[in-house]
Amino acid sequence: MSMHKTCFAFVIGIFLFSGSAIAQTRIDHFGVGRVATADEMAKYFSIPPSGEGLPPGSGTAKAGAEVFANSCAACHGDKMQGNPAKGIGGDRLLGGRGSLASKTPVKTVESYWPYATTLFDYIKRAMPFDSPGSLKDDDVYALVAYILSQAKIIKPTEVMDAKTLPKVMMPNRDGFISDPRPELQLYR
C-alpha cells in the first residue's frame, strides 16, 4: 500500500472510530483502513475551551521566547509578523484586533482565537510544522505564555498551566455567534 493510501486509511479509521458496528461497516464499505486501537487513539487529544484534559506542567514567556526562536521564528517571523516566503508561509500571530468584521480581516491569535486553551491544543498537535507533536508540554505552555504576553493578553511574568490557561480572556472570546443551522444536530 502506498504511503498516501496508508495515511488515508489511517485518517478514515480515526474519523470512523467509535467502536460501533456502523463505523466498521463504513470502513468495510471503502475497503480500506481499520478501527484505530485504544493506544493509537490515546496519542490524539483535544483540549476544549474549559481546559479539561490539559496536561501537568507549566511555562513562562521567558522560556517561551527561546522555544519560539528555535522552533517557530523561521515560519512566523522573529516578531511574529509572519513569513509569506514561498515554501514557508507561516501566518502572522499578532495584531488585527477588531479587524474580523472589516473588509480586510487579519486572523491572528489576538484577533481570532477565542480560547487560550485551544491555542495550547493546536500548538501541541500541529506545531512545529516540520515536526508536529514533538514539543514537550512545558514547551507548549511556555510558547502559549510567550505569544499571549507579546500580544499583551497576559503579563510577561504570568505562568501558564492547567489552572491559569483556562482563565485567560482572549480579546475576541465574545466575537463569535452560535451556528443555528439544524444540520449540526446530525453531528452530535
Side-chain angles (χ1 to χ4, degrees):
M1 183 181 291
S2 73
M3 184 64 169
H4 178 73
K5 286 183 179 177
T6 302
C7 289
F8 177 74
F10 187 70
V11 169
I12 292 295
I14 289 172
F15 281 115
L16 298 178
F17 179 79
S18 69
S20 72
I22 293 171
Q24 186 62 46
T25 300
R26 289 183 180 173
I27 291 172
D28 291 343
H29 173 75
F30 292 112
V32 295
R34 61 178 171 73
V35 175
T37 67
D39 286 342
E40 290 169 334
M41 291 304 294
K43 296 176 184 175
Y44 297 90
F45 62 95
S46 180
I47 304 298
S50 68
E52 182 180 340
L54 280 168
S58 64
T60 63
K62 183 178 180 182
E66 185 174 334
V67 177
F68 186 86
N70 294 331
S71 301
C72 314
C75 293
H76 293 288
D78 61 342
K79 304 286 186 210
M80 300 186 197
Q81 73 276 20
N83 186 348
K86 186 174 183 179
I88 296 177
D91 290 331
R92 174 181 171 176
L93 300 178
L94 302 179
R97 287 190 193 197
S99 70
L100 292 183
S102 72
K103 291 183 179 182
T104 55
V106 178
K107 288 185 178 179
T108 66
V109 170
E110 278 185 81
S111 70
Y112 189 70
W113 222 273
Y115 302 101
T117 54
T118 56
L119 180 61
F120 179 97
D121 179 75
Y122 181 75
I123 292 171
K124 178 68 179 171
R125 287 186 293 116
M127 295 290 135
F129 186 73
D130 64 345
S131 185
S134 63
L135 295 173
K136 295 178 179 168
D137 293 335
D138 286 343
D139 293 338
V140 178
Y141 278 119
L143 270 174
V144 170
Y146 181 60
I147 293 168
L148 295 176
S149 72
Q150 291 297 298
K152 299 182 178 22
I153 297 169
I154 66 168
K155 295 176 184 170
T157 55
E158 290 186 61
V159 175
M160 290 293 102
D161 59 26
K163 290 183 179 176
T164 58
L165 194 56
K167 296 176 183 173
V168 172
M169 182 60 92
M170 298 298 283
N172 198 31
R173 178 176 279 193
D174 298 324
F176 296 86
I177 56 174
S178 298
D179 187 341
R181 291 179 293 176
E183 63 268 16
L184 290 178
Q185 304 276 338
L186 298 173
Y187 303 105
R188 294 188 180 137

